């Protein structure tokens, strides 16, 4: 929940979002309270979080409600994978900017993040087959990818998505490769196509 000492700032931020975005204050309060709780982000940062959402909605081809919906969908898997709140907002903006809906796109990206995190964990325990495949797609050795995933997972994810986009040039099917890595992914063909488009946006706020 929201601590008493930050309740006034939280309320002010939700009213601001209700007044200046396509979210109502109540919708913003429910979604952002959940987002903060899942990510572990301090409620003292809620004003900066609200300002960032407004800024992203104003400067990219999406809107605040879409960013918040996608961010909430990605919060759990993103946090477990080591993404920062800035990374999650950037990825959510990128995905919603190219027309990916929160429900299907959020599920697909969550499955992707979970699969990569599991592959990294399995590799640490001696089972490297899945990580070898993911690293190969990203154009790295398994050790390089594991290091990147541990230190800066958003950059490792960028490399993986970029690798998916270049597989056709190497005579491989991105759809089949992703299917082998992420079992039962939702909307697979749709997702591979849009993952490539996400590359146009994904780096804008990840520094």
């Amino acid at each position: 929940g929201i601590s008493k000492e930050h309740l006034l700032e939280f309320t002010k931020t939700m009213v601001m979002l209700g007044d200046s975005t396509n979210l109502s204050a109540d919708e913003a309060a429910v979604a952002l309270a959940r987002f903060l709780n899942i990510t572990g982000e301090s409620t003292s940062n809620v004003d900066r979080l609200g300002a960032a959402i407004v800024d992203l909605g104003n400067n990219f081809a999406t809107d605040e409600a879409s960013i918040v919906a996608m961010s909430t969908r990605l919060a759990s898997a993103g946090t477990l994978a080591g993404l920062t709140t800035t990374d999650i907002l950037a990825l959510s903006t990128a995905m919603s900017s190219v027309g990916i809906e929160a429900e299907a796109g959020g599920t697909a990206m969550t499955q992707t993040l979970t699969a990569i995190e599991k592959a990294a964990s399995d590799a640490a325990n001696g089972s490297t087959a899945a990580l070898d495949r993911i690293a190969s797609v990203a154009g790295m050795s398994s050790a390089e990818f594991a290091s990147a995933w541990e230190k800066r997972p958003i950059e490792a994810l960028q490399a993986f998505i970029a690798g998916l986009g270049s597989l056709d040039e190497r005579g491989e099917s991105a759809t089949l490769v992703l299917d082998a890595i992420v079992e039962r992914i939702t909307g697979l063909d749709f997702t591979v196509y849009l993952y490539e488009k996400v590359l146009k946006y994904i780096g804008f706020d990840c520094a």
Side-chain angles (χ1 to χ4, degrees):
I2 307 302
S3 61
K4 287 184 179 180
E5 63 183 307
H6 299 129
L7 185 57
L8 179 58
E9 190 62 46
F10 182 85
T11 302
K12 287 170 60 178
T13 301
M14 298 310 109
V15 171
M16 178 275 290
L17 288 170
D19 289 342
S20 60
T21 75
N22 62 335
L23 286 162
S24 71
D26 286 345
E27 289 170 337
V30 170
L32 292 187
R34 183 172 177 230
F35 181 78
L36 290 168
N37 184 56
I38 293 171
T39 60
E41 183 72 38
S42 172
T43 53
S44 65
N45 294 328
V46 70
D47 56 338
R48 280 176 281 180
L49 178 62
I53 291 168
V54 172
D55 185 59
L56 292 169
N58 286 338
N59 287 287
F60 292 88
T62 185
D63 56 64
E64 294 83 2
S66 298
I67 295 169
V68 169
M70 187 71 79
S71 296
T72 304
R73 285 270 180 177
L74 298 181
S76 181
T79 300
L80 287 173
L83 300 187
T84 65
T85 52
T86 298
D87 294 336
I88 294 169
L89 287 176
L91 183 57
S92 298
T93 303
M95 292 175 70
S96 58
S97 290
V98 296
I100 301 177
E101 296 292 332
E103 185 172 354
T107 298
M109 184 58 78
T110 291
Q111 290 177 328
T112 301
L113 291 168
T114 300
I116 296 175
E117 177 66 14
K118 184 177 185 302
S121 177
D122 288 348
N125 292 319
S127 179
T128 64
L131 186 65
D132 289 345
R133 187 55 174 143
I134 291 168
S136 175
V137 171
M140 302 181 190
S141 69
S142 292
E144 289 170 337
F145 189 89
S147 178
W149 187 251
E150 180 181 2
K151 295 175 181 176
R152 198 72 174 99
I154 193 69
E155 294 177 3
L157 180 64
Q158 281 181 275
F160 176 68
I161 295 173
L164 284 176
S166 66
L167 283 177
D168 287 340
E169 298 172 9
R170 297 188 295 194
E172 297 185 71
S173 165
T175 299
L176 292 178
V177 169
L178 190 57
D179 188 32
I181 293 169
V182 186
E183 296 179 3
R184 298 180 299 279
I185 196 165
T186 303
L188 184 61
D189 294 333
F190 176 78
T191 302
V192 170
Y193 168 68
L194 287 175
Y195 274 6
E196 295 177 25
K197 295 179 69 177
V198 165
L199 283 174
K200 297 178 181 179
Y201 293 86
I202 195 175
F204 69 79
D205 198 27
C206 297

